Amino acid sequence: MKLLIDDARIATIERLCEVFPIAGVTTNPTILAKIGGNPFDVLKEIRELIGEEADLHVQAVSRRAEDIVAEANHIVKILGANTFVKIPALPEGFKAMKTLLETSEILVTATAVYTPMQAFIAGQCGAAYVAPYVNRIDNMGFDGVRVTKEIKEIFSANAMETEIIAASFKNAQQVLELCKCGVGAVTLAPELFYASVKNSAINSAVDDFIADFESFAGADKTMLDFQ
Ligand code: G3P
């Protein structure tokens, strides 16, 4: 299961990439609005930072299929290989996905997925990934993790190669539930990367080990001080 960052702030992405095993970055228009300016300025910077092998997901914003296809070609031309074009899983989006499948090798992530049927259709239209919005589904009174698991079952039952990139998480438990069943990828807001390891019991255990070591070796001593 790949781990991606759902953010576009360069310094934040850089810090996370130093610490965590990051496979790529996802963006959406709301995330880009927080940066402003020419969206390709920041997207090119992200591409340079994460490298050409990493996954970068960028959303097309046109409403008509023909325009979505043109946008998809434009995005990939500028940002290169391993750029996934996010296309909403709506009728015009499905039409665009089918066209892209027939006319190009552009990788598509079907986005704004709230129902298993959207995911099934997008997969049949050739989407490489579908992105169920786990927390937003929870907020509608349904179970986002369960919907995501159903999508996984549907893909498996129909021998479909489409993967799931689960998005919109608000807590580590939602992520953990999907780790257990192994979806293709999850994309997380920066704070969620730290949420699962930010725990006073963990810090206290590590502090105790260091104090025990220093009790016989001396203050600030480490294994480097011994042969
Ligand atoms: O792009 C989809 C995902 O980023 C949405 O997340 O937190 O806005 O529900 P959120």
Side-chain angles (χ1 to χ4, degrees):
M1 190 179 84
K2 289 184 184 180
L3 281 174
L4 287 89
I5 304 167
D6 201 24
D7 205 288
R9 289 167 297 174
I10 296 298
T12 303
I13 295 169
E14 197 166 14
R15 271 198 303 277
L16 286 167
C17 285
E18 281 168 8
V19 176
F20 297 99
I22 302 297
V25 170
T26 56
T27 63
N28 63 35
T30 309
I31 287 171
L32 292 176
K34 290 175 188 156
I35 311 282
N38 176 345
F40 281 112
D41 286 348
V42 70
L43 290 167
K44 284 181 199 168
E45 233 181 309
I46 295 172
R47 169 55 80 204
E48 199 174 320
L49 176 62
I50 62 178
E52 57 189 24
E53 299 293 320
D55 298 344
L56 177 58
H57 296 244
V58 178
Q59 192 158 334
V61 294
S62 299
R63 290 190 182 276
R64 291 175 54 245
E66 294 75 13
D67 299 330
I68 295 170
V69 169
E71 252 191 285
N73 281 293
H74 183 67
I75 289 167
V76 173
K77 192 172 167 198
I78 294 177
L79 297 170
N82 298 315
T83 300
F84 292 75
V85 180
K86 292 173 73 175
I87 299 177
L90 289 169
E92 286 294 311
F94 297 142
K95 190 175 166 188
M97 290 177 207
K98 272 162 34 99
T99 304
L100 287 168
L101 183 69
E102 286 158 14
T103 61
S104 75
E105 294 189 345
I106 286 175
L107 300 162
V108 167
T109 296
T111 196
V113 170
Y114 288 76
T115 69
M117 199 60 193
Q118 276 179 291
F120 175 68
I121 296 170
Q124 292 290 341
C125 289
Y129 277 110
V130 297
Y133 286 6
V134 175
N135 194 67
R136 293 195 195 192
I137 295 169
D138 283 359
N139 286 344
M140 291 169 73
F142 299 99
D143 183 338
V145 166
R146 190 163 159 192
V147 166
T148 306
K149 286 180 178 174
E150 279 176 16
I151 293 171
K152 187 172 158 61
E153 279 171 30
I154 289 166
F155 287 170
S156 168
N158 290 278
M160 290 163 68
E161 288 178 5
T162 308
E163 291 278 5
I164 294 168
I165 177 165
S168 177
F169 292 98
K170 283 297 167 283
N171 62 65
Q173 180 61 22
Q174 292 165 329
V175 182
L176 186 61
E177 285 303 313
L178 292 180
C179 287
K180 287 188 211 165
C181 69
V183 293
V186 291
T187 184
L188 308 179
E191 57 272 19
L192 273 184
F193 282 93
Y194 295 101
S196 53
V197 290
K198 204 169 142 193
N199 179 311
S200 56
I202 300 171
N203 292 341
S204 168
V206 175
D207 288 346
D208 286 348
F209 286 133
I210 293 172
D212 286 344
F213 190 85
E214 290 184 343
S215 73
F216 69 86
D220 297 327
K221 298 289 185 208
T222 70
M223 295 297 274
L224 282 175
D225 294 298
F226 298 90
Q227 299 286 341

